[in-house]
Amino acid sequence: MKAADMATEACGSRDKRTTNAMPYPEGTPEHVEKFVKRFYAKAQFAATALAVFGTPVLAFGSVLAIEIASFLMTLVRKGIASSKIYHGVYSASLFIMFPAMFVTLHCADDLTVQSTFRAMVVAAVPTTLRMGRLEKPWSKYSSWAIGIPTGVLAAEVALQFVNPVFVAWLGALWSMGDTIQEFFLAKQTSKDKRSENPNEPPQKVE
């Protein structure tokens, strides 16, 4: 991770990177952009964990979602694809991993279920440390450094006492609720800003 950051510092740009740099369709409200970005960030945590700890099929699907972002970004910058296509395809490639995980949990053998559950727990720990509503979010380095061993250990202990499918559903529903909450919080913040400055037009993403 540090090596990747060093390469970005030397050869890349912190302002022109995949999802951060991609424009949103004209007229997209600010709170919708924040909602989508939170979904992207959470899904990227899950994709990273699945790529390392998941089954071969889930690992491949996760890497595909990560790699397709760069390809789509190139198409947008060359004017071949619109930002709407970028966000539609990229969102779908990330979202499809969630039903894929639960199909695996419900239909696969015990070892595959355990592997998928382990990846979900590993993803949950750094996501909470980095993106949870903490007073001071952890850095990405600390989040992953603590999250991986903690997640693996927590998963192994949980597998001895609980039904992994049930716990996975609880975690997924909690994460979905948290993401939806971000939408309404951002929407309320935008509304408060407009009430304080009634003559200012609603903020939109160009």
Side-chain angles (χ1 to χ4, degrees):
M1 188 180 296
K2 181 61 176 177
D5 285 345
M6 292 172 65
T8 299
E9 291 286 352
C11 306
S13 170
R14 288 190 172 274
D15 299 319
K16 296 181 179 180
R17 296 175 299 177
T18 56
T19 55
N20 287 343
M22 284 300 94
Y24 284 74
E26 185 177 354
T28 302
E30 183 183 18
H31 63 274
V32 173
E33 180 191 359
K34 289 183 177 179
F35 166 75
V36 172
K37 283 185 174 180
R38 189 168 185 84
F39 164 71
Y40 283 170
K42 282 189 170 184
Q44 288 162 359
F45 271 99
T48 302
L50 283 169
V52 178
F53 294 96
T55 63
V57 171
L58 293 178
F60 175 80
S62 299
V63 172
L64 175 65
I66 294 170
E67 293 298 326
I68 202 171
S70 299
F71 174 67
L72 291 169
M73 178 182 67
T74 301
L75 295 183
V76 172
R77 288 180 175 169
K78 289 182 177 294
I80 299 174
S82 66
S83 60
K84 185 178 293 186
I85 291 176
Y86 171 89
H87 290 288
V89 175
Y90 183 54
S91 296
S93 68
L94 289 172
F95 177 79
I96 195 65
M97 296 309 303
F98 293 96
M101 283 191 297
F102 283 99
V103 168
T104 301
L105 287 170
H106 282 282
C107 302
D109 58 79
D110 289 345
L111 288 178
T112 303
V113 170
Q114 292 173 15
S115 175
T116 304
F117 177 73
R118 188 178 299 110
M120 294 178 73
V121 176
V122 168
V125 177
T127 302
T128 302
L129 295 176
R130 179 68 173 162
M131 299 183 59
R133 304 185 191 283
L134 307 175
E135 184 175 343
K136 185 178 180 181
W138 290 38
S139 72
K140 61 183 178 181
Y141 304 113
S142 300
S143 298
W144 280 110
I146 298 297
I148 292 176
T150 303
V152 170
L153 178 60
E156 295 304 324
V157 172
L159 286 169
Q160 305 301 316
F161 301 101
V162 301
N163 182 331
V165 177
F166 177 73
V167 175
W169 271 107
L170 286 180
L173 291 173
W174 173 83
S175 181
M176 181 175 65
D178 174 75
T179 306
I180 293 173
Q181 182 184 19
E182 176 67 23
F183 173 82
F184 288 106
L185 288 174
K187 186 176 183 180
Q188 185 60 47
T189 299
S190 298
K191 186 182 296 184
D192 293 342
K193 287 181 180 178
R194 290 198 299 270
S195 64
E196 293 173 2
N197 302 282
N199 296 323
E200 182 179 332
Q203 291 186 337
K204 296 180 180 181
V205 180
E206 298 298 336

